[in-house]
Amino acid sequence: MTPVTVSLPTPTTPTAPTAPPIAVEYPDSDGQPMAENTLQFEWITLIKENLDWLFAADPQVFVAGDLLWYPVEGNPKIRQAPDALVVFGRPKGYRGSYRQWQEDHLPPQVVFEILSPGNRPGEMSRKLLFYQQYGVEEYYLYDPDSNSLEGWIRQEGILDWIETVQDWVSPRLGIRFDPSADPLVIYRPDGESFVSYGERSRQAEQERQRAEQESQRA
């Protein structure tokens, strides 16, 4: 009798189900206060509000204060929240955080930090390295307690310290700094100085009253 050969199917290893990708969370808050005292808060709002006014007519300039910036997708631990930031080439509008990969990969070109007594030299050194690594073009650091201003500008791939900030004009913003005044005075390109919202409201009210008086005379 001729033996019959039977081919048995090769056992297959069952394929493990593919796990769904884990969603990465990018918190909108780091749990830190915006400012440690009223002086720091006043300077943060002064700079942010005046930059808002300066670029109010340009829909492609985004200005924010104390907004978390995530430069690297997939790594929410890499982040900073500058006291004020400006991004040219991105539309105005609401953001819970600035996620660079969703913003045409554009980093903030200009950032500001306002020192408070709680800031440590090591912390500020890490911020400088962060801004250098992730593409900031101009970085300004102001200490309102000592009226001390420092600045850095990107040169040949690194943020280079600006030796003389007296009457320095920001290449990106067009604003001029006068740290010889106490406190610091910042001038718009039209020569008007940065003023608080309260001062601007007072000026507007004076203009309204002046116009009303002129109308009554007429």
Side-chain angles (χ1 to χ4, degrees):
M1 233 179 127
T2 304
V4 178
T5 303
V6 179
S7 298
L8 297 177
T10 304
T12 57
T13 304
T15 303
T18 303
I22 299 174
V24 179
E25 293 187 7
Y26 302 90
D28 290 346
S29 172
D30 58 5
Q32 300 297 317
M34 178 178 175
E36 291 187 8
N37 55 55
T38 56
L39 182 60
Q40 185 190 25
F41 179 80
E42 287 170 2
W43 273 99
I44 292 172
T45 55
L46 176 76
I47 291 173
K48 192 270 181 186
E49 288 174 354
N50 280 270
L51 291 175
D52 270 334
W53 288 325
L54 181 60
F55 295 105
D58 192 333
Q60 289 295 310
V61 179
F62 173 65
V63 179
D66 195 41
L67 184 71
L68 277 172
W69 162 29
Y70 294 97
V72 180
E73 185 175 9
N75 195 336
K77 292 184 178 180
I78 300 176
R79 64 190 187 186
Q80 278 295 341
D83 288 331
L85 62 83
V86 184
V87 190
F88 291 85
R90 296 307 301 154
K92 303 183 189 303
Y94 171 81
R95 284 141 172 102
S97 61
Y98 189 85
R99 306 177 188 187
Q100 191 169 312
W101 58 94
Q102 297 176 351
E103 307 280 356
D104 282 348
H105 300 279
L106 283 175
Q109 291 95 353
V110 186
V111 299
F112 291 81
E113 294 284 356
I114 307 301
L115 275 176
S116 68
N119 293 128
R120 298 289 181 265
E123 173 192 358
M124 303 315 296
S125 295
R126 287 190 295 272
K127 286 188 177 184
L128 174 59
L129 291 174
F130 182 97
Y131 296 146
Q132 176 173 289
Q133 181 174 356
Y134 293 108
V136 169
E137 296 176 13
E138 301 177 43
Y139 169 35
Y140 300 101
L141 174 64
Y142 180 58
D143 183 350
D145 289 320
S146 64
N147 192 40
S148 172
L149 174 69
E150 290 186 279
W152 292 261
I153 187 164
R154 187 167 292 272
Q155 302 275 9
E156 298 181 355
I158 65 170
L159 283 176
D160 194 21
W161 185 62
I162 300 170
E163 291 188 13
T164 304
V165 290
Q166 179 64 46
D167 293 325
W168 170 265
V169 177
S170 159
R172 274 286 191 175
L173 306 177
I175 61 177
R176 178 171 63 87
F177 299 92
D178 180 11
S180 67
D182 192 0
L184 168 71
V185 177
I186 305 175
Y187 292 96
R188 296 162 46 97
D190 61 7
E192 295 293 324
S193 62
F194 278 22
V195 295
S196 67
Y197 178 80
E199 176 64 19
R200 187 171 292 271
S201 297
R202 186 184 66 80
Q203 292 174 355
E205 178 61 20
Q206 287 178 340
E207 289 297 324
R208 187 193 66 79
Q209 292 177 358
R210 187 179 298 114
E212 186 175 316
Q213 291 169 358
E214 291 295 330
S215 176
Q216 289 174 352
R217 291 195 194 97

